[in-house]
């Protein structure tokens, strides 16, 4: 009898998952097209990859990640208040919208517009899930050996 494949380095994993925060608020429901990735390449959070190690097809894995294991703690350095007239002209500035800015190194940062009051826009450059503990509920649906090309490229090929 063949031993079932288990998750490890250079395995292509197909899974479906739901994601909730620690308060039980659903961030992502487990439906739609499954997710496929190459395990061991850093595509997933390191703790999440460790939680999946050695599991087989059909396993349901519950992984709890603290903020530092996921999107990090909220960074007050990424909170800004800027006068509307200082923002680029032509950008549609509205609460719930986004703006693209750059850090000191020239890297792009997406800022969420969280408030507009008295001609001042409040911007938040943190990931929307920063500062939150997360709970992943994962169903392992497929495991296969990665091809040489997938290993070279560091990602699973799109098989759809």
């Amino acid at each position: 009898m063949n031993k079932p494949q288990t998750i490890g380095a250079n395995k292509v994993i197909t899974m479906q998952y739901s994601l909730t925060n620690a308060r039980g608020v659903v961030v992502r429901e487990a439906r739609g097209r499954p997710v496929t990735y190459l395990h061991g390449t850093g595509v997933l959070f390191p703790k999440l990859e460790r939680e999946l190690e050695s599991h087989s097809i059909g396993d349901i894995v519950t992984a709890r990640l603290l903020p530092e294991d996921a999107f990090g703690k909220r960074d007050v350095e990424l909170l800004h208040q800027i006068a509307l007239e200082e923002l680029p002209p032509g950008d549609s500035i509205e609460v719930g919208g986004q703006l693209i800015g750059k850090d000191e190194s020239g890297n792009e940062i997406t800022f969420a517009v969280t408030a507009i009051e008295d001609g001042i826009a409040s911007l938040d450059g943190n990931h929307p899930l920063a500062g939150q503990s997360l709970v992943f509920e994962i169903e392992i649906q497929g495991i296969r050996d990665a091809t040489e090309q997938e290993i070279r490229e560091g990602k699973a090929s799109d098989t759809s």
Side-chain angles (χ1 to χ4, degrees), residues 80-87 99 111 115 117 119-123:
H80 301 280
Q81 291 192 323
I82 299 178
L84 290 172
E85 63 263 11
E86 292 180 31
L87 295 172
L99 296 173
F111 290 92
E117 290 183 26
I120 304 289
S122 296
L123 306 177

Side-chain angles (χ1 to χ4, degrees), residues 57-158:
I57 294 172
D59 287 355
I60 305 290
V61 180
T62 301
R64 291 173 174 78
L65 277 63
L66 296 173
E68 54 270 21
D69 298 322
F71 293 100
K73 295 180 179 179
R74 292 193 49 77
D75 183 350
V76 295
E77 302 264 329
L78 294 174
L79 301 176
H80 301 280
Q81 291 192 323
I82 299 178
L84 290 172
E85 63 263 11
E86 292 180 31
L87 295 172
D91 281 352
S92 175
I93 312 298
E94 56 187 42
V95 174
Q98 296 182 334
L99 296 173
I100 305 295
K102 294 193 186 236
D103 64 14
E104 302 81 33
S105 304
N107 300 313
E108 284 192 355
I109 298 177
T110 300
F111 290 92
V113 180
T114 58
I116 299 174
E117 290 183 26
D118 300 324
I120 304 289
S122 296
L123 306 177
D124 185 349
N126 286 286
H127 186 281
L129 297 176
Q132 295 188 44
S133 293
L134 302 174
V135 179
F136 287 85
E137 187 86 13
I138 302 164
E139 177 189 5
I140 309 303
Q141 297 180 333
I143 301 172
R144 67 170 173 81
D145 293 328
T147 65
E148 289 298 322
Q149 180 177 349
E150 288 171 324
I151 294 169
R152 255 191 329 276
E153 293 176 355
K155 64 180 185 174
S157 59
D158 187 11

Side-chain angles (χ1 to χ4, degrees), residues 6 11 18 21 39 98:
T6 59
K11 297 288 185 181
S18 65
N21 67 18
H39 193 79
Q98 296 182 334

Side-chain angles (χ1 to χ4, degrees), residues 22-44:
R23 293 183 306 276
V25 175
V26 176
V27 177
R28 180 190 193 274
E29 291 186 20
R31 59 179 163 173
R33 188 172 172 195
V35 174
T36 300
Y37 76 99
L38 177 59
H39 193 79
T41 58
V43 172
L44 302 182

